[in-house]
């Protein structure tokens, strides 16, 4: 057998974290990530793989109140987006979330920005309850939610693998995404693509 593939064997101590695959972050939405829709089918493939290996599926969502501090009219950097319980905050209809999926809502306080899925949520507790040791991170946006979530996970002692074919970023400044990836690697994250998983 070739050793060139199958680097990662997924098990029940692993979780696939699907970051913010919401209508507003996809083409046509309020804060679209260019080609963000292209990774949704890849994420669906990862979901199948992780399900088959008895691993956990977690989906985060940006879940802002109507006057969130990050919105331009409140002095923040972003157009209004992902306002809770609106169409823009819904998960993409192309995303195939299985049952059960653990849903983590973040940045829910009007006066506080929170890019990390750990910030102000019970994600760390949930991971510990489920005995999850390693997070495979996918979704949007590499240079905001993904990097902040990954760094918090590493700080908390979880292993982190960034799924490079299943994440995309905004690149407000050219190079932001590359810098975010370097930062995650410097803090101990690994990267992987579909070919790095065993085919079983
Ligand atoms: C995000 C910009 C604004 C993210 C959230 O989840 O990456 N980016 N709000
Ligand atoms: Zn936001």
């Amino acid at each position: 057998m070739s050793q060139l593939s199958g680097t990662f064997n997924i098990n029940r101590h692993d979780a696939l974290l699907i970051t913010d695959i919401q209508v507003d972050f996809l083409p046509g939405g309020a804060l679209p990530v260019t080609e963000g829709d292209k990774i949704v089918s890849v994420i669906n493939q990862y979901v199948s793989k992780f399900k088959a290996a008895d691993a956990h599926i977690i989906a985060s969502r940006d879940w802002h109140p109507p006057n969130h501090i990050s919105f331009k009219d409140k002095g923040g950097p972003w157009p209004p987006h992902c306002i809770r319980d609106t169409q823009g905050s819904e998960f993409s209809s192309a995303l195939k979330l299985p049952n059960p999926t653990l849903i983590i809502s973040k940045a829910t306080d009007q006066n506080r920005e929170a890019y990390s899925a750990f910030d102000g949520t019970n994600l760390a507790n949930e991971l510990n309850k489920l005995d999850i040791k390693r997070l495979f991170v996918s979704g949007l946006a590499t240079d905001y939610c993904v990097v902040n979530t990954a760094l918090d996970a590493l700080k908390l002692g979880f292993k982190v693998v960034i799924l490079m074919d299943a994440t995309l970023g905004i690149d407000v400044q050219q190079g932001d995404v590359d810098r975010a990836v370097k930062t995650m690697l410097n803090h101990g994250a690994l990267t992987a693509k579909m070919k790095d998983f065993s085919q079983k």
Side-chain angles (χ1 to χ4, degrees):
M1 252 296 279
S2 159
Q3 293 300 304
L4 295 174
S5 62
T7 308
F8 293 98
N9 288 302
I10 307 304
N11 61 62
R12 66 189 173 82
H13 301 291
D14 291 321
L16 172 65
L17 176 60
I18 305 168
T19 307
D20 300 6
I21 299 295
Q22 292 166 275
V23 170
D24 273 343
F25 290 130
L26 297 174
L31 180 47
V33 177
T34 306
E35 303 203 312
D37 52 326
K38 300 272 169 70
I39 62 171
V40 178
S41 63
V42 182
I43 292 174
N44 287 336
Q45 286 179 54
Y46 279 117
V47 167
S48 301
K49 250 183 208 303
F50 277 67
K51 280 278 292 173
D54 269 339
H56 302 269
I57 311 292
I58 304 169
S60 70
R61 60 184 182 184
D62 214 25
W63 198 247
H64 297 313
N67 295 308
H68 191 247
I69 191 170
S70 75
F71 297 169
K72 277 188 175 134
D73 52 353
K74 301 290 162 196
W78 308 116
H81 64 278
C82 295
I83 296 171
R84 63 182 180 217
D85 293 314
T86 64
Q87 203 224 330
S89 65
E90 285 174 13
F91 289 118
S92 163
S93 59
L95 181 65
K96 294 190 183 125
L97 291 179
N99 241 322
T101 295
L102 174 61
I103 295 183
I104 300 291
S105 302
K106 65 183 171 61
T108 59
D109 288 359
Q110 178 170 315
N111 296 315
R112 244 184 105 247
E113 178 59 298
Y115 290 125
S116 165
F118 289 94
D119 191 350
T121 73
N122 58 359
L123 178 55
N125 272 329
E126 297 289 348
L127 294 178
N128 289 327
K129 266 199 287 186
L130 295 167
D131 209 15
I132 292 166
K133 309 286 190 202
R134 190 167 59 167
L135 276 184
F136 290 80
V137 185
S138 65
L140 307 169
T142 315
D143 36 357
Y144 292 92
C145 189
V146 169
V147 63
N148 284 284
T149 299
L151 293 178
D152 276 352
L154 289 164
K155 247 180 252 167
L156 290 163
F158 299 99
K159 291 182 179 156
V160 172
V161 183
I162 309 300
L163 298 173
M164 296 302 290
D165 49 0
T167 53
L168 278 175
I170 301 175
D171 253 353
V172 171
Q173 306 284 334
Q174 201 191 332
D176 282 354
V177 169
D178 290 346
R179 281 187 286 276
V181 172
K182 283 206 184 93
T183 302
M184 292 187 277
L185 296 178
N186 283 337
H187 285 79
L190 302 177
T191 61
K193 291 184 178 173
M194 199 68 76
K195 66 168 172 50
D196 300 319
F197 291 84
S198 66
Q199 293 305 302
K200 303 185 282 188

